[in-house]
Amino acid sequence: MAEHASTETFALRVQFDTEAQQKNASTLGMWIFLITEIMFFGGMFAVYTIYRSWYPDVYAIASSSLNEIIGALNTGVLLLSSFTMVMAVRAGQLGQQKAIVLFLILTLLFGGIFLGVKAYEWNQKFEEHHIPGQAAFHLDGVLPADQGHAQLFFSIYFAMTGLHALHMVIGVGILLTLIVLARKGRFSASYYTPVDVAGLYWHFVDIIWIFLFPLLYLIDRHLVK
């Protein structure tokens, strides 16, 4: 049975005539924002693809230095966070306040795990001297003349995964805000737009990683002996 929270008059902003109109405007605004993000990440994917086509052997070796098992497990964690986010939106549709809080907390937990594992991976790269610009930078299996190309790979790797992690951190902040509001009973079956729109953002961040994981970790690594 749905939990009926007090209906808040602030939910409908003065510039809108109905809650449906407000929800549609909010959803459209988020989609426009996500389109700009797609163009942004698309440029980075294009840069990576071009350089990989120029230096396939070096990039294959660099990819094989990444821990694909940890990356795969972290991908699973992120997919679980997408599932719990879907459940939070569903709970919002049903007006189930406690369920909204529960699933948002689970999403937050999975997101935190993902970020923690990513920090562990970055630290591992630091210990292996795979940080671009390090005087001690060296990638085994790559000729001295190609070490600069290897550094370029890791520059792109840290840029792409770092920006993705930044989006995750922003998502964590959004989730914390939603949890506070949900605990105050601000959402109901007739007003759960913030949860729904936040879900779009979270799924977008997850989808970006779905492309990053095979691109950075898996392509051509089987060619490296």
Side-chain angles (χ1 to χ4, degrees):
M1 180 179 295
E3 300 165 15
H4 300 285
S6 58
T7 303
E8 307 287 352
T9 57
F10 76 88
L12 182 62
R13 305 304 181 184
V14 295
Q15 66 268 34
F16 300 107
D17 295 326
T18 64
E19 291 180 353
Q21 184 188 58
Q22 177 175 266
K23 183 177 186 299
N24 290 336
S26 300
T27 303
L28 176 61
M30 177 54 74
W31 275 114
I32 292 175
F33 169 73
L34 294 181
I35 289 171
T36 65
E37 290 290 284
I38 289 171
M39 291 188 290
F40 176 71
F41 276 100
M44 299 192 71
F45 280 117
V47 168
Y48 178 86
T49 301
I50 291 171
Y51 278 111
R52 183 151 201 151
S53 68
W54 289 351
Y55 315 113
D57 295 337
V58 175
Y59 274 50
I61 294 172
S63 289
S64 68
S65 74
L66 301 176
N67 193 321
E68 80 279 15
I69 296 177
I70 291 179
L73 291 175
N74 224 15
T75 301
V77 169
L78 209 55
L79 290 175
L80 283 174
S81 77
S82 265
F83 172 74
T84 54
M85 192 69 225
V86 168
M87 296 303 295
V89 174
R90 179 56 178 166
Q93 293 172 338
L94 298 176
Q96 298 173 337
Q97 297 289 336
K98 291 182 179 180
I100 294 174
V101 174
L102 172 62
F103 287 116
L104 287 177
I105 289 176
L106 288 175
T107 305
L108 180 65
L109 175 63
F110 290 132
I113 292 173
F114 178 90
L115 289 172
V117 172
K118 181 52 60 183
Y120 169 79
E121 285 189 273
W122 288 340
N123 182 68
Q124 192 175 50
K125 292 289 101 183
F126 179 82
E127 293 177 348
E128 294 172 353
H129 303 294
H130 289 167
I131 304 297
Q134 273 186 323
F137 180 93
H138 179 76
L139 181 62
D140 292 338
V142 175
L143 296 175
D146 290 326
Q147 289 293 326
H149 302 150
Q151 289 198 52
L152 182 59
F153 169 88
F154 286 108
S155 294
I156 298 174
Y157 164 79
F158 281 109
M160 297 182 79
T161 58
L163 283 170
H164 178 265
L166 175 61
H167 282 72
M168 288 286 295
V169 171
I170 294 172
V172 165
I174 293 172
L175 290 174
L176 287 171
T177 301
L178 292 177
I179 290 170
V180 171
L181 293 176
R183 287 176 62 86
K184 292 181 178 180
R186 298 294 178 88
F187 304 126
S188 66
S190 61
Y191 179 71
Y192 60 93
T193 302
V195 181
D196 194 22
V197 172
L200 288 176
Y201 175 85
W202 193 263
H203 297 319
F204 166 78
V205 175
D206 289 0
I207 290 172
I208 290 297
W209 178 257
I210 294 301
F211 284 95
L212 284 177
F213 173 60
L215 192 68
L216 295 172
Y217 288 74
L218 303 180
I219 295 178
D220 291 339
R221 71 181 299 128
H222 64 284
L223 300 178
V224 180
K225 297 182 180 179

